Amino acid sequence: MAIEKYRVHEVAKDFGLPTKTITEILTKYATAPKNHMQVLTERELSVIFDYLTQHNQVSGIEVIFADTYKEAPKEEAAPAAPVPPKAEPPAARNAGGAAPAQKSAQAPQAPKGGEAPKQQPAVQQPVSRVPQKKIVDTRKGGTVNLSKYDERLETLGGQQGERMQQRGGKEKFRSSQRRGGPAFSNKRRQDEAEKMRRLQLEIAKKSPLKVQIPDEISVGELASRMKKTGAEVVKCLMKNGIMASLSQLIDFDTASFVAEEMGCRVEKEVVVTIEEKLIDVTEDRPEDLVPRAPVVVVMGHVDHGKTSLLDTIRNASVASGEAGGITQHIGAYQAQVNGKPVTFLDTPGHEAFTSMRARGAMITDIAILMVAADDGIMPQTIESINHAKAANIPIIVAVNKIDKENANPDRVLQQLTEHGLVPEDWGGETICCKISAKKNIGIDNLLENLVLLAEIQELKANPNRAGQGTVIEARLDKGRGPVATLLIQNGTLKQGDVIIAGTAVGRVRTMLDFKGGRVTEAGPSVPVEIAGLSEAPEAGSPFFAVADERMARELVEQRKAEARAKAAAPVQKVSLENLFDQIQAGERKELALIVKADVQGSVEAVKTSLEKLSNDEVNVRVIHGGVGAVNESDVMLAASSNAIIVGFNIRPDAAARDGAARQNVDMRMYRVIYDCIDEIEAAMKGMLAPKYREVVLGHAEVRQTYKVSGVGTVAGCYVQDGKIVRACSVRVVRDGIVIHEGSLASLKRFKDDAKEVAENYECGMTVEKFNDIKEGDIIEGYTMEEIPR
């Protein structure tokens, strides 16, 4: 029987010998072992046992059966016991309970007085310690019945052999059991493993393996989860007409189909993000909701009385303290109107409101549009109307300054109808109130309409949950660090709460109300100023009070990493080139446009023509139209509304160009209306294939002009940015309006012709067939670059 993993050093230990002795035996009579850890074969063990049997004779038969559980003391190199002349020497003991020795010592025959001992047949029991030849020394002489002794020895030996078999056989197995070794034979272990494997297969057949699959999974990962080889999964995919490698991602439907075909039960893996664990966005039950105060934003043109109105409502002289009557920050205030609280937001124009809307922060419920009765509707008023409409909030128009002599409220109402705001008195739905903020005329009527509109909206919130809302403004205070003005929209914010706002996180250390008084908690629709954040968050960022600060900081780090990755990647904005792809992908149902032109008539004509292009797949909507150059405000509105800017006979100013490049806003400038209509129509039908793109090289300002006979008007210019190249095309722009397009006739530095003039250098230039150049004009150099298809 094979002995499993019986090593050189284990044999030496069992016999109480040095490893070197065993190595020498093997080297002399078999093969030299490589090291003391070598596993010995059955033949090598037999050689060792035979050698030790021959060289370690026992002193008497009593030693063999002295104690079955203890090995007889081994005598290293001890001489055999002296044998009387009339007896045979005792048999060699089979060392260590091994198989019987291959050779037995042949004793000389007794010269007299006894018969030769009977030769016992060899018993092939590997676990028996009964010697093959039993020799008894009578010592006292006389006749001895050796057969009787032999019979007794055989009986004892048989009993001992059976006991040895029950206890595991050889001494090696006994010693290994004492050390906690395996109790079963190798064959029995194999049988047990085979039974277990069959049992597992039967269980697997009865209950299929449950596999969780996410929205996307690689083929290799799917194979691992199904306990299959990658080759099996790839084979199944190929059978169904899908060629995929192990590293390739497949969607949930494909993966679930393959898994079910291979006998697995599929479950959709729901990945819970840190944000989902941390932020509670569960819907409130109707019974938990209570009425809340409305949030009102006051918008309008500069110096039309926004802050004065709030000043009158709050009965506090705040407006006079601001520099030049211009609001320097976003203020949030609360006032009691007919015994009910109303929260007011005062905005410095429209920029902050646009940025809030761009981030999806629908924080206001009602907009008050301030229009001065003497000025009428101004450009910023129109933008405010467009912002409020885009945010989808109801508008109340307050016609201010009716106490002035040149006030003309009816003209204002007429202008409002041109922008889609028809007053109630004229059969429309827009509430219009005539007021004077300075002299407190009509304020009560305005507030009554405000409360009435708020009641119709049935504004409610749940105060009994963790606070959440929006950052109105944030700044860095020298004494208190990052300070943020928050508007709580739901729940209650308490001092000591951990809050997360965009990439800022911290604990609310102090909380002040709009009057500057300390408060410990604030409910829905209440504006507060807090300190304790790690940094100043962006205006318009949503904030949430959370329970786990460690997880909140982990989420902030994750958001910062995403922001860095997003900044490095190009932003996918709508442009005429990718418009058709987005329509086909179902991403765009509406094409928003901003139209700017040199005269109002052109704006109306273009607006009407473009809106007629609407079809079943996409609706064309002009969200803003105006006269004059494209400015930064137009770019901001386009970025937040994902719109395209269309211009006629005008050019964008420097700030607009930089903003458009930074925010990836598509601006298209045309001289002919039909070119614009054809391009947008072609884009919508997927036929737009532009061959050339305009690349602006630089801008030069005309500082002085000279009349030269035979040449015409020479413009002395200063290159503001980029460079002007001799072979480039140019356009002359005056007050944002294109006067002429053509090419350069000459370009000189001092008296020498120049190929190009770089930024911050002066030069002289003439424009072909155009002499009406004036000081202050901007000469824009550009070239047409071919776009690879």
Side-chain angles (χ1 to χ4, degrees):
M1 184 177 70
I3 296 172
E4 189 176 3
K5 292 190 178 177
Y6 200 5
R7 304 177 191 276
V8 173
H9 73 92
E10 290 175 338
V11 174
K13 183 179 178 184
D14 288 342
F15 282 114
L17 297 171
T19 305
K20 185 180 177 184
T21 305
I22 303 299
T23 305
E24 285 172 354
I25 294 169
L26 288 170
T27 306
K28 188 173 181 182
Y29 295 101
T31 308
K34 293 178 182 177
N35 53 46
H36 70 288
M37 290 296 292
Q38 181 171 317
V39 177
L40 299 173
T41 63
E42 190 174 354
R43 178 181 171 278
E44 289 171 332
L45 285 171
S46 297
V47 168
I48 294 168
F49 294 155
D50 287 351
Y51 180 90
L52 293 175
T53 301
Q54 295 293 336
H55 292 79
N56 294 276
Q57 302 295 319
V58 292
S59 57
I61 198 165
E62 306 86 18
V63 179
I64 299 173
F65 304 106
D67 187 358
T68 1
Y69 300 99
K70 292 182 182 179
E71 289 188 272
K74 299 179 179 63
E75 300 174 8
E76 295 184 19
V83 180
K86 294 183 180 179
E88 293 177 4
R93 189 172 78 91
N94 187 6
Q102 302 295 324
K103 298 177 184 179
S104 298
Q106 295 293 334
Q109 294 292 323
K112 62 171 185 173
E115 70 186 80
K118 196 194 304 185
Q119 177 70 37
Q120 296 295 327
V123 180
Q124 295 301 322
Q125 290 186 359
V127 292
S128 174
R129 289 214 284 186
V130 180
Q132 295 299 322
K133 186 182 286 185
K134 306 164 191 69
I135 300 170
V136 179
D137 182 12
T138 58
R139 302 263 181 178
K140 295 179 182 178
T143 306
V144 178
N145 189 355
L146 296 178
S147 303
K148 183 180 176 182
Y149 280 96
D150 288 346
E151 187 181 351
R152 175 65 179 156
L153 284 172
E154 281 177 353
T155 306
L156 287 172
Q159 291 172 355
Q160 290 295 108
E162 287 170 9
R163 248 185 289 177
M164 288 296 294
Q165 283 182 342
Q166 289 172 2
R167 294 192 171 272
K170 297 182 184 177
E171 190 66 20
K172 163 64 188 170
F173 283 84
R174 283 230 312 271
S175 62
S176 68
Q177 281 179 16
R178 285 172 195 153
R179 294 195 304 267
F184 300 108
S185 68
N186 192 32
K187 187 174 185 303
R188 189 169 177 187
R189 277 201 305 273
Q190 288 174 352
D191 291 343
E192 290 293 332
E194 183 63 27
K195 283 181 188 175
M196 187 63 71
R197 195 177 67 81
R198 282 201 298 267
L199 187 63
Q200 286 174 346
L201 283 172
E202 286 173 14
I203 293 169
K205 284 176 185 174
K206 289 177 185 175
S207 58
L209 180 68
K210 185 174 73 174
V211 179
Q212 289 196 328
I213 301 175
D215 291 330
E216 280 190 332
I217 189 170
S218 68
V219 176
E221 176 63 19
L222 178 63
S224 175
R225 292 189 183 193
M226 293 194 300
K227 307 286 192 294
K228 305 283 184 186
T229 64
E232 287 176 300
V233 178
V234 170
K235 186 179 177 182
C236 186
L237 283 166
M238 289 173 69
K239 193 170 69 177
N240 291 286
I242 300 167
M243 305 298 290
S245 62
L246 288 177
S247 59
Q248 194 168 328
L249 291 175
I250 54 175
D251 60 15
F252 173 77
D253 293 335
T254 308
S256 60
F257 177 78
V258 170
E260 285 168 2
E261 194 165 296
M262 299 186 82
C264 298
R265 187 158 56 87
V266 176
E267 281 188 5
K268 183 73 180 282
E269 185 180 45
V270 180
V271 181
V272 181
T273 62
I274 298 175
E275 196 160 340
E276 288 169 338
K277 288 180 190 174
L278 191 63
I279 297 170
D280 181 16
V281 290
T282 53
E283 290 288 329
D284 293 307
R285 295 179 301 175
E287 57 267 27
D288 295 334
L289 299 175
V290 296
R292 65 170 177 84
V295 180
V296 181
V297 64
V298 183
M299 304 171 72
H301 195 71
V302 173
D303 199 29
H304 274 204
K306 297 186 295 293
T307 308
S308 296
L309 173 64
L310 287 172
D311 183 28
T312 306
I313 292 171
R314 291 182 292 119
N315 293 322
S317 183
V318 173
S320 58
E322 292 187 348
I326 299 170
T327 302
Q328 302 294 318
H329 64 282
I330 304 171
Y333 316 100
Q334 252 194 338
Q336 294 292 325
V337 178
N338 297 340
K340 296 180 180 178
V342 178
T343 300
F344 290 94
L345 296 185
D346 187 12
T347 62
H350 58 282
E351 289 84 359
F353 193 69
T354 303
S355 64
M356 287 178 195
R357 184 170 58 78
R359 295 181 184 90
M362 307 297 289
I363 64 167
T364 52
D365 306 307
I366 301 167
I368 295 178
L369 181 68
M370 298 292 291
V371 187
D374 54 347
D375 282 350
I377 288 185
M378 303 292 281
Q380 219 168 342
T381 314
I382 298 167
E383 287 169 354
S384 298
I385 293 169
N386 292 329
H387 293 151
K389 281 182 177 178
N392 200 24
I393 55 175
I395 300 170
I396 294 179
V397 178
V399 184
N400 194 21
K401 303 185 182 180
I402 59 168
D403 56 310
K404 284 198 170 182
E405 292 179 5
N406 58 343
N408 189 351
D410 291 333
R411 181 170 66 92
V412 172
L413 298 181
Q414 173 63 43
Q415 290 174 332
L416 287 170
T417 58
E418 295 171 8
H419 297 280
L421 299 177
V422 182
E424 283 183 328
D425 298 344
W426 293 13
E429 296 181 352
T430 305
I431 300 171
C432 294
C433 302
K434 297 174 184 178
I435 66 163
S436 171
K438 290 282 186 186
K439 298 194 175 179
N440 201 358
I441 301 170
I443 303 296
D444 292 338
N445 181 42
L446 174 67
L447 295 178
E448 282 174 14
N449 281 294
L450 193 65
V451 173
L452 181 64
L453 193 58
E455 285 175 358
I456 292 169
Q457 289 183 286
E458 293 185 348
L459 305 167
K460 292 184 177 181
N462 177 14
N464 300 315
R465 64 181 292 173
Q468 59 188 62
T470 305
V471 179
I472 303 297
E473 67 166 335
R475 67 182 194 279
L476 204 59
D477 188 274
K478 286 184 179 178
R480 295 188 292 163
V483 174
T485 303
L486 310 178
L487 176 69
I488 293 96
Q489 291 174 276
N490 203 8
T492 302
L493 183 66
K494 299 176 182 176
Q495 189 170 332
D497 283 354
V498 175
I499 68 167
I500 180 169
T503 56
V505 66
R507 197 177 289 274
V508 179
R509 289 205 311 265
T510 60
M511 193 155 50
L512 308 177
D513 62 10
F514 70 96
K515 293 177 183 175
R518 281 184 176 268
V519 290
T520 55
E521 61 178 44
S525 297
V526 176
V528 289
E529 189 178 77
I530 66 146
L533 292 174
S534 58
E535 61 182 68
E538 287 187 26
S541 302
F543 79 84
F544 299 90
V546 296
D548 192 332
E549 188 174 0
R550 183 192 61 78
M551 201 181 288
R553 294 189 183 280
E554 193 176 336
L555 175 58
V556 161
E557 289 305 315
Q558 188 177 309
R559 283 179 175 177
K560 285 179 178 177
E562 286 172 2
R564 285 193 294 270
K566 191 176 179 183
V571 181
Q572 178 68 13
K573 292 280 186 182
V574 63
S575 66
L576 291 190
E577 281 84 1
N578 65 18
L579 174 61
F580 183 69
D581 295 336
Q582 292 194 20
I583 293 169
Q584 290 292 91
E587 294 175 5
R588 177 149 298 276
K589 299 296 180 187
E590 184 177 82
L591 173 60
L593 297 172
I594 293 172
V595 176
K596 297 299 289 280
D598 52 348
V599 291
Q600 185 63 35
S602 299
V603 175
E604 295 302 324
V606 173
K607 183 176 177 182
T608 308
S609 302
L610 292 175
E611 286 181 342
K612 284 179 183 175
L613 296 175
S614 299
N615 57 30
D616 295 337
E617 290 183 347
V618 62
N619 177 43
V620 178
R621 186 167 71 97
V622 178
I623 61 171
H624 177 60
V627 177
V630 177
N631 54 38
E632 195 173 11
S633 165
D634 299 320
V635 173
M636 286 181 67
L637 181 58
S640 63
S641 305
N642 207 5
I644 296 172
I645 297 174
V646 176
F648 291 86
N649 287 333
I650 51 121
R651 298 300 298 169
D653 60 27
R657 281 197 307 273
D658 293 344
R662 191 170 56 251
Q663 300 181 64
N664 286 345
V665 172
D666 189 15
M667 294 195 298
R668 298 280 173 146
M669 303 300 143
Y670 302 97
R671 297 298 301 276
V672 184
I673 186 170
Y674 303 111
D675 291 345
C676 169
I677 293 167
D678 291 345
E679 275 203 18
I680 291 177
E681 191 173 18
M684 288 169 63
K685 291 178 181 176
M687 296 188 301
L688 181 67
K691 295 179 182 178
Y692 293 93
R693 180 193 297 139
E694 180 186 296
V695 178
V696 176
L697 298 175
H699 297 83
E701 182 187 3
V702 178
R703 297 277 177 92
Q704 206 166 352
T705 59
Y706 310 92
K707 299 284 185 183
V708 178
S709 59
V711 177
T713 306
V714 176
C717 302
Y718 174 79
V719 181
Q720 293 176 322
D721 59 76
K723 62 182 179 180
I724 301 297
V725 181
R726 170 70 183 82
C728 72
S729 300
V730 294
R731 55 172 65 94
V732 182
V733 182
R734 188 173 299 157
D735 299 327
I737 296 169
V738 178
I739 304 299
H740 174 76
E741 279 189 3
S743 55
L744 281 182
S746 64
L747 178 67
K748 296 197 174 191
R749 277 275 297 156
F750 302 106
K751 292 182 180 182
D752 301 324
D753 287 331
K755 286 185 178 180
E756 64 178 51
V757 179
E759 185 178 347
N760 297 331
Y761 283 94
E762 293 179 340
C763 63
M765 62 179 80
T766 57
V767 180
E768 271 186 14
K769 299 177 185 177
F770 185 73
N771 292 316
D772 186 24
I773 301 174
K774 295 182 179 178
E775 291 181 15
D777 287 353
I778 301 294
I779 295 179
E780 182 179 77
Y782 67 96
T783 184
M784 301 305 290
E785 184 182 83
E786 187 174 353
I787 299 170
R789 290 172 183 269

